[in-house]
Amino acid sequence: MFGRIGRFSVNRPVLVLAAWIVAAVALIALAPSMGTTRDQEDFLPSHYESVRADKIQEESFPQQESAAAILVFQRSDGERLTDADKATVTKVTGALDGKRYETFKDIVTSPETVSENGKVALANAYSTEKDLGADPVLDSVKKLRADAGDLLEGTGLKLGVTGLAAQTLDANEATGDTDAMIMMATLLLIVLLLGIIFRSPLIALLPVVLIFVVFLMAQGLISTASSLFDLTADSDNGAILIVVLFGVGTDYILFLLFRYREHLRSGLAPKEALVSGVSRVGETIASAAGAVIVAFLALLLSTMGSMRALGPSLAISVALALAAALTLVPAAFSLLGTKAFWPSKAWQHTPRNRLGHRIGTATSRRPKLVAAVSGGVLVLLALSSIGFKAEYDASSSLPTSLESVQAVKDMEKAFAAGESDPSLVYVKSREGGALEPSVLEAFREDIAAVRGVDQVSEATLNPRKDVARYDVVLSHRPASGQAIDLVSGTLRDTVHAQAPKGTEAAVGGTTAVFADIRDAVNRDYRVVFPAAGLAIALILGLLLRSVVAPLYLIVAVSLGFGATLGSTVLLFQQLQDASGLLFMLPIIVYLFVVAIGTDYNILLVARLREEMGRGRTPAEATRLAVTQSAPTIGAAAVILAGTFGVLMLADNSMLQQMGFAVAFGILLTAFVMALLLVPTVTTLLGARAWWPSRNTGSAHSPAVSDPDGDANPTAERVRV
């Protein structure tokens, strides 16, 4: 099948290119736009308690404003606020309220907002916007900060603005150039490495152009599919799509170009070599893409809406990259012929490939030693993953110099740590009758008695008086592990047990959302990962016609996942003493290390099976497969790892964690797992690795050069 696809694309390049151009124009021009949303329901389904609490809020308190920003006033010398200072706070707050910012309904303060130590006074800016991360809200925060600076000049007071909107603004500004940085680093690395490998400016630039076209088409195809089949898509996933497409797209192009160049060196004519390359590597690329696609589609089993939306989008992108690798790329290079390698003539000569040869020789001669060392390293690193602690507090990863971060620290010195974002408790009458004040007060006292609760507000009733709301200030930071444990445990247990008779109660707010997200993520680990592993194993079984090989490949992939996570735990939690790691890190490692990194294992094992199919011994087949595959795998891994490694330059610890985990994981997968562990285990198993299949490869394989000069004399030439 892949031979027919290759012959068609190579012999009719103009037709293929024209079809891609028409499809690209149509998808880019006619596709509907993708939406962007930050609604809580994008993360959690309706059966989670925080979502139910949010529904109660919308139905019973639709006009209830949220505190988008908290203004933290204090003296510049750090002393107690005088009466004159308090009067200045009231005056400045009133002046800011009079500005009538677009999304702020009221900016208010009161004597009760002065801390017990008398050093800090607060004011709240209330927004009628539900989405406190929306651009208009962030613009209002910017203007408020600028105006407050002018009003406080010469007063001896200083102001720090924090709260959800202010923290979002600071986080966006601190990491605002990350997407552009990733794109530029990706393009630079691809162009630079391809230029070094092939010594051709055309080959260095052409893949970038082709992948960029595929990226634009993928966005159009995703939005079109979302519109036709009522799927969820989010334009905020653009950065992930960029990395995935450039990662897998470059991998597939490299797989093909290395094989194309290899067949040219064996003496085949350009078109013949290109068809042969597609024929031989097409199944490998299709299998690699299939493994990535099913891994991404496994995210449909997630309880989190954002993951369910991301999965199909990534799957569509990879499927489009696969189609381009099998048709668009061969058509483009068919027109160029050997001119694609201009001005270099290195393609005509087989390189010495010393490093690949040494690795291949070591794996074939000492498979037990190499397997033990490489496997032992992965196991030791994987053991460290047991100490993984999830961190939900995004603000803790931001630079301490940011205004919102410093203002929170000032608040925590004077108020309870949860003052900036109280939890919310709702009590709703089941029959719709009015709630009794005495019963509500008794319930408030029950909540206040919970250890870890600092204060509980009086009950606020809705107009019908059948729903009450309490603001519950915790003693812990809202996104800290202690706060999440408290809300998901003792607080919710108490609220449910002590709710007045005939009512239902729910705990909501940011901390409750994080508690439910933690439960959802833990559930996804138990469901999504095994489902993806099973699907990948089935694809490997179909590719290799084997039951045994997929089993140890999945074990190797699992070790790579654990080793990547364990290495990140060692670096950040142990050496840098971080309180925890980004809670989404295991899923990120899954997406980029396990799913995409599996490509390298597939490429190596497929090549190894091909060499054994030519009648070579397991050791000799391993030597040749590793030697020939090392440059391809190494180049692809360095490009992808380098792309993510750029994130380590960001002034944000969570981005640094993500950058290190993916970059190190890709390199670990490529150089330890794919080039050392997997081939040595295959060598030790020999023909048993392909059980129950007896034929380990095709007898009709084109001539390829042995690194030591032993060409396959019986190879048949592929007919064009």
Side-chain angles (χ1 to χ4, degrees):
M1 179 180 74
F2 295 103
R4 290 194 296 271
I5 293 174
R7 280 190 291 274
F8 182 86
S9 300
V10 170
N11 291 330
R12 296 173 178 82
V14 176
L15 178 61
V16 172
L17 290 174
W20 273 93
I21 292 172
V22 171
V25 172
L27 284 173
I28 295 170
L30 303 178
S33 60
M34 286 189 288
T36 301
T37 177
R38 298 179 180 89
D39 194 275
Q40 177 178 317
E41 292 182 40
D42 287 346
F43 294 93
L44 297 167
S46 58
H47 67 269
Y48 281 96
E49 185 170 338
S50 61
V51 180
R52 297 202 309 271
D54 189 59
K55 290 294 185 184
I56 295 174
Q57 164 76 27
E58 292 178 357
E59 295 169 359
S60 303
F61 302 93
Q63 301 303 318
Q64 183 74 44
E65 300 91 0
S66 301
I70 301 173
L71 287 67
V72 183
F73 294 91
Q74 54 188 324
R75 287 180 60 88
S76 299
D77 58 12
E79 297 299 321
R80 291 173 60 90
L81 296 169
T82 65
D83 290 340
D85 294 331
K86 295 174 185 177
T88 300
V89 169
T90 302
K91 179 181 178 181
V92 171
T93 301
L96 292 172
D97 185 48
K99 298 284 186 181
R100 293 299 171 190
Y101 300 101
E102 180 183 355
T103 61
F104 291 163
K105 180 178 181 181
D106 296 302
I107 302 176
V108 298
T109 187
S110 66
E112 290 77 18
T113 62
V114 178
S115 63
E116 290 186 6
N117 63 13
K119 292 185 176 183
V120 177
L122 304 179
N124 290 324
Y126 290 100
S127 174
T128 54
E129 289 277 343
K130 179 184 176 183
D131 184 1
L132 299 183
D135 290 338
V137 180
L138 304 186
D139 289 339
S140 295
V141 174
K142 284 183 181 179
K143 294 175 182 177
L144 183 148
R145 282 175 168 172
D147 293 338
D150 296 334
L151 293 170
L152 287 172
E153 189 173 349
T155 64
L157 297 178
K158 63 178 181 178
L159 170 67
V161 181
T162 187
L164 291 178
Q167 290 173 349
T168 301
L169 173 63
D170 287 346
N172 289 349
E173 291 182 346
T175 60
D177 295 332
T178 299
D179 288 354
M181 184 171 60
I182 290 176
M183 174 64 88
M184 292 305 298
T186 303
L187 296 179
L188 182 62
L189 280 169
I190 291 175
V191 171
L192 182 62
L193 288 176
L194 289 180
I196 292 173
I197 293 168
F198 292 97
R199 304 175 191 176
S200 165
L202 195 56
I203 290 184
L205 294 173
L206 186 58
V208 172
V209 175
L210 296 179
I211 296 171
F212 185 71
V213 171
V214 172
F215 168 69
L216 295 178
M217 293 179 66
Q219 286 188 311
L221 189 59
I222 291 166
S223 58
T224 301
S226 302
S227 177
L228 291 176
F229 302 105
D230 195 27
L231 299 175
T232 303
D234 191 343
S235 60
D236 279 352
N237 293 329
I240 296 179
L241 292 179
I242 290 171
V243 175
V244 168
L245 264 177
F246 275 93
V248 300
T250 303
D251 280 1
Y252 300 159
I253 291 176
L254 282 175
F255 292 176
L256 178 60
L257 289 184
F258 270 92
R259 187 59 74 99
Y260 172 44
R261 189 176 65 176
E262 185 180 326
H263 291 320
L264 284 174
R265 287 168 175 165
S266 70
L268 297 182
K271 287 185 180 292
E272 192 177 1
L274 196 52
V275 172
S276 180
V278 176
S279 177
R280 296 307 305 167
V281 86
E283 185 178 14
T284 301
I285 294 176
S287 300
V292 175
I293 288 170
V294 298
F296 288 156
L297 288 179
L299 293 176
L300 289 170
L301 300 175
S302 172
T303 57
M304 299 174 66
S306 58
M307 290 294 102
R308 292 198 305 274
L310 181 61
S313 297
L314 294 176
I316 289 172
S317 300
V318 173
L320 199 59
L322 168 63
L326 296 179
T327 59
L328 178 61
V329 175
F333 279 90
S334 175
L335 289 176
L336 294 171
T338 57
K339 294 178 182 178
F341 299 98
W342 181 89
S344 173
K345 295 184 179 181
W347 63 270
Q348 299 174 354
H349 310 286
T350 301
R352 294 184 179 182
N353 188 15
R354 292 189 179 92
L355 180 59
H357 177 66
R358 289 173 182 173
I359 296 174
T361 301
T363 54
S364 63
R365 290 182 178 178
R366 298 178 178 84
K368 292 182 179 179
L369 176 62
V370 174
V373 172
S374 58
V377 169
L378 293 177
V379 170
L380 288 176
L381 291 176
L383 290 175
S384 298
S385 65
I386 298 173
F388 173 78
K389 295 180 182 178
E391 174 63 72
Y392 295 84
D393 187 1
S395 64
S396 66
S397 67
L398 296 174
T400 57
S401 59
L402 295 178
E403 181 176 334
S404 61
V405 176
Q406 188 57 54
V408 167
K409 292 184 180 297
D410 293 336
M411 278 185 62
E412 291 176 352
K413 295 175 183 177
F415 296 92
E419 183 75 35
S420 62
D421 191 6
S423 292
L424 307 172
V425 174
Y426 297 92
V427 180
K428 181 178 181 181
S429 172
R430 295 184 187 275
E431 303 298 329
L435 298 170
E436 293 291 335
S438 60
V439 174
L440 292 177
E441 177 59 24
F443 183 54
R444 189 187 77 85
E445 293 176 357
D446 290 332
I447 299 173
V450 174
R451 185 176 182 181
V453 171
D454 187 78
Q455 57 184 357
V456 183
S457 69
E458 299 289 337
T460 300
L461 292 168
N462 68 333
R464 295 178 56 183
K465 297 185 178 180
D466 63 341
V467 180
R469 163 181 160 165
Y470 301 88
D471 289 0
V472 181
V473 177
L474 305 180
S475 303
H476 312 290
R477 288 182 294 108
S480 66
Q482 299 97 316
I484 293 172
D485 290 339
L486 173 61
V487 167
S488 64
T490 310
L491 181 58
R492 275 183 171 166
D493 291 343
T494 301
V495 166
H496 298 160
Q498 301 301 324
K501 187 177 180 180
T503 67
E504 61 174 313
V507 180
T510 301
T511 307
V513 171
F514 283 136
D516 289 340
I517 287 177
R518 182 175 68 179
D519 290 342
V521 169
N522 289 337
R523 178 264 180 196
D524 289 349
Y525 293 162
R526 297 190 299 270
V527 175
V528 175
F529 289 0
L534 178 61
I536 292 174
L538 290 175
I539 288 180
L540 290 173
L542 292 174
L543 168 68
L544 303 174
R545 288 83 167 174
S546 166
V547 173
V548 177
L551 295 179
Y552 67 78
L553 285 174
I554 289 298
V555 171
V557 168
S558 300
L559 275 178
F561 173 85
T564 300
L565 196 58
S567 301
T568 312
V569 169
L570 281 175
L571 178 60
F572 290 94
Q573 283 186 201
Q574 302 299 327
L575 297 181
Q576 296 189 11
D577 199 27
S579 58
L581 302 178
L582 175 64
F583 76 96
M584 291 291 291
L585 194 63
I587 292 179
I588 291 170
V589 171
Y590 160 77
L591 287 175
F592 296 109
V593 177
V594 174
I596 298 178
T598 300
D599 289 0
Y600 308 140
N601 286 325
I602 290 176
L603 177 68
L604 189 285
V605 175
R607 185 59 184 262
L608 202 159
R609 188 176 189 276
E610 180 183 329
E611 295 297 341
M612 291 183 69
R614 296 189 175 113
R616 302 185 192 276
T617 65
E620 182 65 8
T622 296
R623 182 182 68 82
L624 289 172
V626 171
T627 302
Q628 294 286 4
S629 301
T632 311
I633 293 173
V638 168
I639 289 174
L640 189 58
T643 299
F644 278 95
V646 174
L647 292 178
M648 296 184 68
L649 302 176
D651 196 10
N652 181 309
S653 62
M654 288 191 176
L655 288 178
Q656 292 170 2
Q657 292 168 17
M658 184 172 71
F660 171 80
V662 177
F664 185 77
I666 289 292
L667 295 176
L668 201 67
T669 298
F671 293 102
V672 177
M673 189 194 311
L675 294 179
L676 297 178
L677 180 61
V678 169
T680 51
V681 171
T682 307
T683 300
L684 293 172
L685 289 173
R688 290 170 294 181
W690 317 112
W691 183 88
S693 176
R694 293 182 180 180
N695 181 20
T696 57
S698 172
H700 301 291
S701 302
V704 288
S705 298
D706 185 313
D708 293 333
D710 180 22
N712 182 5
T714 63
E716 295 184 9
R717 298 169 71 87
V718 177
R719 180 175 55 85
V720 181

